[in-house]
Amino acid sequence: QVQLVESGGGLVQAGDSLRLSCAASGRTFSSYVMGWFRRAPGKEREFVAAISWGTGNPYYGDSVKGRFTISRDNAKNTVYLRMNSLKPEDTAIYYCAARYNLLSTWDYWGQGTQVTVSS
């Protein structure tokens, strides 16, 4: 059974950086796509970034392009989200997710980690 565990959230000031981690277990992830989503209070869930585990190709949502970087460490089965130049509007619960490939649905989700950016 796939398990995704996020960590690294916290309270930071605008302009600061933060790195989130997502430790994955329970499957061989070489063909999977790993993603980060976020949900801010009163808003819809938003796609943040994704990465193909095998190729390392990254994908980004428009609101974070140029500020966030997604990466993975195959040996540790861990996906990272490096967030730079954080803004108050980045405040949200950030969720790690996994899907089998680019055509499948996001079937696996972590419990989320809170990121709060103060102005």
Side-chain angles (χ1 to χ4, degrees):
Q1 152 175 350
V2 174
Q3 186 174 17
L4 305 175
V5 180
E6 303 99 332
S7 61
L11 171 63
V12 297
Q13 294 187 331
D16 285 351
S17 298
L18 206 58
R19 189 181 77 163
L20 305 182
S21 300
C22 172
S25 62
R27 193 69 56 90
T28 300
F29 292 96
S30 57
S31 64
Y32 276 66
V33 179
M34 306 297 293
W36 287 97
F37 291 78
R38 66 186 182 187
R39 187 189 297 273
K43 294 188 177 181
E44 297 283 323
R45 186 176 65 196
E46 178 186 12
F47 169 74
V48 175
I51 188 166
S52 173
W53 202 289
T55 65
N57 289 337
Y59 309 85
Y60 296 98
D62 289 340
S63 62
V64 305
K65 281 181 182 176
R67 298 188 300 124
F68 290 12
T69 302
I70 189 170
S71 62
R72 88 267 193 250
D73 184 327
N74 290 353
K76 295 182 178 180
N77 262 13
T78 300
V79 175
Y80 303 99
L81 184 68
R82 176 69 178 183
M83 305 184 293
N84 294 330
S85 303
L86 283 163
K87 306 174 182 180
E89 50 264 43
D90 293 317
T91 295
I93 300 175
Y94 284 71
Y95 297 92
C96 178
R99 60 181 182 180
Y100 184 66
N101 55 42
L102 287 173
L103 299 178
S104 62
T105 57
W106 294 99
D107 291 328
Y108 306 102
W109 294 84
Q111 82 288 350
T113 185
Q114 176 71 48
V115 173
T116 303
V117 185
S118 64
S119 57

